[in-house]
Amino acid sequence: MGEEPRDMTARREGDRREASDGTVGKALDVLDRVAAFGRPVRFAELLDGSPFPKATLYRFLQTLVHQGMLSHDPGTGAYALGVRLVRLAHAAWAQSSLAPIARPHIDRLSAAVGETVHLAQLDGGQVLYVDKRNARQPVAMFSQAGRVGPGYCTGVGKAMLAHLPEAARARAVSQQAFHRYTPATITDPAAFALELEAIRARGHAFDAEEHEPGIVCVAVPILSRAGTVLGALSVTGTTARTSLQALAGLVPVIRATAADIATEAESWRFPEEQTQGLVARGGAGA
Amino acid sequence: MGEEPRDMTARREGDRREASDGTVGKALDVLDRVAAFGRPVRFAELLDGSPFPKATLYRFLQTLVHQGMLSHDPGTGAYALGVRLVRLAHAAWAQSSLAPIARPHIDRLSAAVGETVHLAQLDGGQVLYVDKRNARQPVAMFSQAGRVGPGYCTGVGKAMLAHLPEAARARAVSQQAFHRYTPATITDPAAFALELEAIRARGHAFDAEEHEPGIVCVAVPILSRAGTVLGALSVTGTTARTSLQALAGLVPVIRATAADIATEAESWRFPEEQTQGLVARGGAGA
DNA sequence: AACCAAGTTTCACATAATGGAACCAAGGGA
DNA sequence: TCCCTTGGTTCCATTATGTGAAACTTGGTT
């Protein structure tokens, strides 16, 4: 897999919810730290770079292991994420995301366009991919269900940000890292604001190799009737096989799919969910 | 000091490790409760059936929402699992399970046999499915991964239990519910012990419509060189299309796949992981 | 044997969790 | 209209819990 853009984007100030509230927050922070390593990790490694003293960290790890959120190999002394998480995740995926509703629609879309399709939701200014359908020849690229990506240089990210209400958009934009992944990456907030305007006007967003060279995509937001952003849908291709012009031609069918998903999501008990992703963590406001 | 004292609270639990330790444990218990509903749930619903007083539960929910583990819709007042879980889950799936390593092998096996393939691991006596390949339909990550099933009446469950070391097996067996799903379900612990012996002797397990009528499967364990149980692999079919005899013929290829997975898992830094699922929670054990 | 690093346990102390009760909406009868 | 109930949120004195420096144990090295 790629490098670690994750840290750049995820570690933005003003969003640090970790050690803010109580013991639980701290414990979850420890969990995140283990997750960040992406591999089984030993006590000492975890210790430096952690804001907790030895004994405290140790107790947290014990608790988390005992709770099944982490597993601990007595042999090597390594801590890894536990299976309880996988179980919880299944429930989370099934209940708090568009994925289960969208699944058949995405299948159909994927079959129709013959390219990779992504379903994403917004998570604190970042893009969370909740489902993906591969084209016949799978392209090696950065994305999978559960993965997070930057909001400012992906099609789905821009499509969602553009359709956020003023206040939420401002907050989300302020959380962007604006790291230059490729020469085409937009790194200037002012230019980004214009780009969002344009996207909102035309109703869909492009990613012109802004995140990965050779990868382009077109994305449309999934909007509730009230106009709140539920998620976004994108079709991706490589410059070798397709072009932005060709992708633009797919907008009608993608938009139709998005509309179908939105309708179904609303009709079948799905309140306003999405903006909550932001409200939930922002904490700042009223 | 041995391991006698601490387990006063932990030893009894077959599956419920909840409020045993501290604030963190309680908070995670709340998380589980929300997950158990499988749908957005309101405060009052959560309140009854919860061991916590109103104010306490309220504070927990607030904390979890603030941490992004839950989301809260101010409109309907409903709590749902948060996106942070999906993110953590992705990491968990990728690092603490065999799935990523096994994926290409499963693809190949699935293509070869043309039937549904399951990859499972053990989680406290229960079966946790971490990946699945449907003969026709392509990938679906969290949709199926994360499901749990009984250990005593599934092929993968029996295959894994049979190859556990004495102590762990005894503990795991004592955790089985032995509910009669079908006429063929084994509900007698003594008979089950014999069945496990037979499975261990022959190296693979069958599920002869013990869990669902009309569904049969054959499963083999994935064992490390040292003999510890890493997981299990199964091929499933319907009585309408296949038979146990036919499935038995697939054992060599399944076993070869299991061996490949085990080898790769071991060679690429993957210690003894699996037994830990049990050790992690049981605590006891010599 | 003496040393060192990684991991684990102790214990006096202070922070953070607790939960009964008060409080604040909204319906919704009468 | 007013009163009353139900669902949700906030207070605050009490006390359980978490905290972390330091001591200790284990296992490996020189």
Side-chain angles (χ1 to χ4, degrees):
Chain A
M1 319 299 178
E3 36 234 280
E4 58 281 33
R6 158 183 17 173
D7 283 337
M8 310 247 2
T9 49
R11 287 273 120 101
R12 260 314 247 196
E13 260 318 312
D15 186 40
R16 301 180 78 83
R17 60 198 151 195
E18 29 191 80
S20 31
D21 41 10
T23 315
V24 176
K26 295 178 203 167
L28 292 176
D29 177 45
V30 171
L31 203 59
D32 267 354
R33 285 170 190 279
V34 175
F37 274 85
R39 61 176 170 81
V41 59
R42 324 195 51 189
F43 183 80
E45 301 181 81
L46 225 34
L47 183 56
D48 57 37
S50 121
F52 309 108
K54 229 205 244 186
T56 303
L57 177 62
Y58 182 71
R59 236 174 322 98
F60 274 137
L61 289 172
Q62 283 215 138
T63 301
L64 289 171
V65 167
H66 184 69
Q67 290 294 319
M69 301 295 283
L70 292 180
S71 71
H72 179 229
D73 182 334
T76 69
Y79 293 89
L81 296 180
V83 280
R84 187 180 184 182
L85 269 177
V86 176
R87 219 162 51 210
L88 277 172
H90 175 66
W93 186 86
Q95 97 176 219
S96 91
S97 83
L98 285 175
I101 291 170
R103 182 197 276 271
H105 300 284
I106 293 181
D107 283 337
R108 224 173 305 125
L109 178 60
S110 169
V113 302
E115 294 281 2
T116 299
V117 173
H118 281 113
L119 173 67
Q121 297 186 237
L122 214 43
D123 173 27
Q126 297 197 105
V127 165
L128 177 78
Y129 294 98
V130 293
D131 209 352
K132 167 183 182 174
R133 215 49 38 102
N134 255 324
R136 264 164 288 287
Q137 317 100 318
V139 190
M141 60 174 293
F142 167 83
S143 67
Q144 261 173 302
R147 269 276 159 85
V148 289
Y152 60 96
C153 60
T154 56
V156 284
K158 295 194 295 182
M160 289 189 283
L161 290 175
H163 290 80
L164 240 32
E166 188 56 39
R169 182 169 67 234
R171 189 165 59 236
V173 169
S174 75
Q175 291 172 353
Q176 301 304 316
F178 290 117
H179 169 76
R180 183 183 298 278
Y181 287 99
T182 75
T185 306
I186 299 175
T187 57
D188 174 45
F192 188 61
L194 289 177
E195 167 79 347
L196 291 189
E197 277 311 315
I199 290 166
R200 181 143 68 161
R202 92 169 88 90
H204 57 271
F206 293 105
D207 167 2
E209 307 186 59
E210 295 162 38
H211 187 212
E212 283 184 64
I215 305 288
V216 293
C217 92
V218 59
V220 309
I222 301 173
L223 301 172
S224 74
R225 194 126 41 89
T228 56
V229 176
L230 301 176
L233 214 49
S234 75
V235 173
T236 303
T238 62
T239 49
R241 282 211 323 274
T242 185
S243 68
L244 285 182
Q245 281 71 25
L247 289 176
L250 300 174
V251 166
V253 59
I254 306 175
R255 192 173 290 165
T257 304
D260 288 350
I261 294 171
T263 304
E264 195 171 332
E266 273 193 305
S267 70
W268 183 245
R269 171 270 288 142
F270 207 78
E272 295 297 77
E273 261 306 357
Q274 264 357 270
T275 53
Q276 271 41 274
L278 287 169
V279 171
R281 63 189 42 202
Chain B
M1 309 287 197
E3 52 259 288
E4 290 202 309
R6 125 184 7 176
D7 282 326
M8 295 295 288
T9 49
R11 105 177 113 104
R12 199 67 188 94
E13 57 195 23
D15 185 45
R16 305 186 77 77
R17 61 202 144 191
E18 33 188 83
S20 29
D21 43 10
T23 315
V24 176
K26 294 178 205 166
L28 292 176
D29 177 45
V30 171
L31 203 58
D32 267 353
R33 284 169 191 278
V34 175
F37 275 86
R39 60 175 171 80
V41 58
R42 323 194 63 208
F43 182 80
E45 300 180 82
L46 225 33
L47 183 55
D48 56 36
S50 122
F52 309 107
K54 229 203 238 187
T56 302
L57 177 62
Y58 182 72
R59 237 174 321 101
F60 275 138
L61 289 172
Q62 282 213 140
T63 301
L64 289 171
V65 167
H66 184 68
Q67 290 294 321
M69 301 295 283
L70 292 179
S71 71
H72 180 228
D73 183 334
T76 70
Y79 292 89
L81 296 181
V83 280
R84 187 181 183 182
L85 267 177
V86 176
R87 217 162 54 207
L88 277 172
H90 174 65
W93 185 85
Q95 97 174 220
S96 91
S97 83
L98 286 175
I101 290 170
R103 187 195 270 272
H105 299 284
I106 295 181
D107 282 339
R108 226 174 302 126
L109 178 61
S110 170
V113 302
E115 293 281 1
T116 299
V117 173
H118 283 286
L119 173 68
Q121 295 186 237
L122 215 43
D123 173 27
Q126 289 198 300
V127 166
L128 176 79
Y129 293 99
V130 293
D131 209 350
K132 167 183 182 174
R133 211 53 35 102
N134 240 327
R136 28 259 357 254
Q137 281 188 332
V139 201
M141 280 220 349
F142 288 125
S143 57
Q144 288 297 326
R147 278 266 161 81
V148 290
Y152 61 97
C153 61
T154 55
V156 284
K158 295 195 294 181
M160 288 188 283
L161 291 176
H163 290 79
L164 241 33
E166 188 57 37
R169 181 169 68 234
R171 189 164 61 235
V173 168
S174 75
Q175 291 173 352
Q176 301 304 316
F178 290 117
H179 169 76
R180 183 182 298 279
Y181 285 99
T182 76
T185 306
I186 300 174
T187 57
D188 175 45
F192 188 60
L194 289 177
E195 166 78 347
L196 291 189
E197 276 311 317
I199 290 167
R200 182 143 66 161
R202 93 168 87 89
H204 57 271
F206 291 106
D207 167 1
E209 305 186 58
E210 296 163 39
H211 185 36
E212 280 185 68
I215 304 287
V216 293
C217 91
V218 59
V220 309
I222 301 173
L223 301 173
S224 74
R225 195 126 41 91
T228 56
V229 176
L230 300 176
L233 214 49
S234 75
V235 172
T236 304
T238 62
T239 49
R241 282 212 322 274
T242 185
S243 69
L244 285 182
Q245 282 71 24
L247 287 177
L250 300 175
V251 165
V253 59
I254 305 174
R255 191 173 290 163
T257 305
D260 288 349
I261 294 172
T263 303
E264 193 169 335
E266 273 193 305
S267 71
W268 184 241
R269 182 257 296 133
F270 209 76
E272 295 297 76
E273 259 309 353
Q274 264 359 269
T275 54
Q276 271 42 273
L278 288 169
V279 173
R281 61 190 45 203

